[in-house]
Amino acid sequence: MGYQMRAAVLNFTGGRENWGCQATSIGLYRFLKHVLNPQGFTKIDTIPYPPSHLQDVWHQKIHGKRIRRILASQDPSLADLKFLEGLCRSRFRHYVDIVKNADVVFFQGEGTMGASKL
């Protein structure tokens, strides 16, 4: 069997109790499956929208200036990218590998933009 292409959907809100979030996420998943399966994508992983966590505040307070500088850079250094990956691994663990192993990543912005819950 040949290479199996994988997709990932970040901030999937289909597991929430809110029916609007469920409908949007499940609809997006079904649409992507319909479009991507014929193109050879055999796996679509969903990564749930993460609940607020104290580590988010800690990263912002301790590393916020560096993070903003890296994100604003048009050519971040390898050390800077490894730093960001380390922060992501400490916060999101195994989800980082799902994203790294995906051939394409979709970001579901619905339901994820707004004021902090902390």
Side-chain angles (χ1 to χ4, degrees):
M1 190 171 196
Y3 179 74
Q4 297 178 353
M5 295 196 297
R6 300 176 73 141
V9 179
L10 291 178
N11 289 352
F12 185 79
T13 57
R16 288 183 172 180
E17 292 180 16
N18 179 299
W19 66 266
C21 290
Q22 292 172 6
T24 301
S25 284
I26 293 167
L28 175 62
Y29 180 86
R30 287 179 181 157
F31 172 77
L32 290 174
K33 190 170 183 167
H34 175 76
V35 171
L36 295 176
N37 280 158
Q39 305 304 317
F41 284 82
T42 56
K43 178 83 169 150
I44 301 175
D45 291 301
T46 58
I47 300 170
Y49 176 73
S52 296
H53 192 278
L54 187 56
Q55 194 172 9
D56 300 332
V57 175
W58 182 73
H59 282 166
Q60 176 64 28
K61 289 193 183 290
I62 303 294
H63 304 293
K65 286 182 184 177
R66 183 175 181 190
I67 292 169
R68 284 189 297 280
R69 180 184 55 76
I70 294 169
L71 294 177
S73 173
Q74 290 190 18
D75 190 23
S77 70
L78 182 57
D80 284 339
L81 296 176
K82 286 183 181 270
F83 167 75
L84 291 179
E85 183 177 354
L87 291 179
C88 288
R89 279 201 185 279
S90 73
R91 174 67 168 93
F92 301 109
R93 311 244 184 270
H94 72 279
Y95 291 126
V96 173
D97 291 324
I98 293 172
V99 171
K100 284 181 80 169
N101 291 324
D103 295 289
V104 64
V105 177
F106 297 92
F107 177 81
Q108 180 185 344
E110 176 271 334
T112 66
M113 302 297 167
S116 173
K117 292 185 175 82
L118 283 179

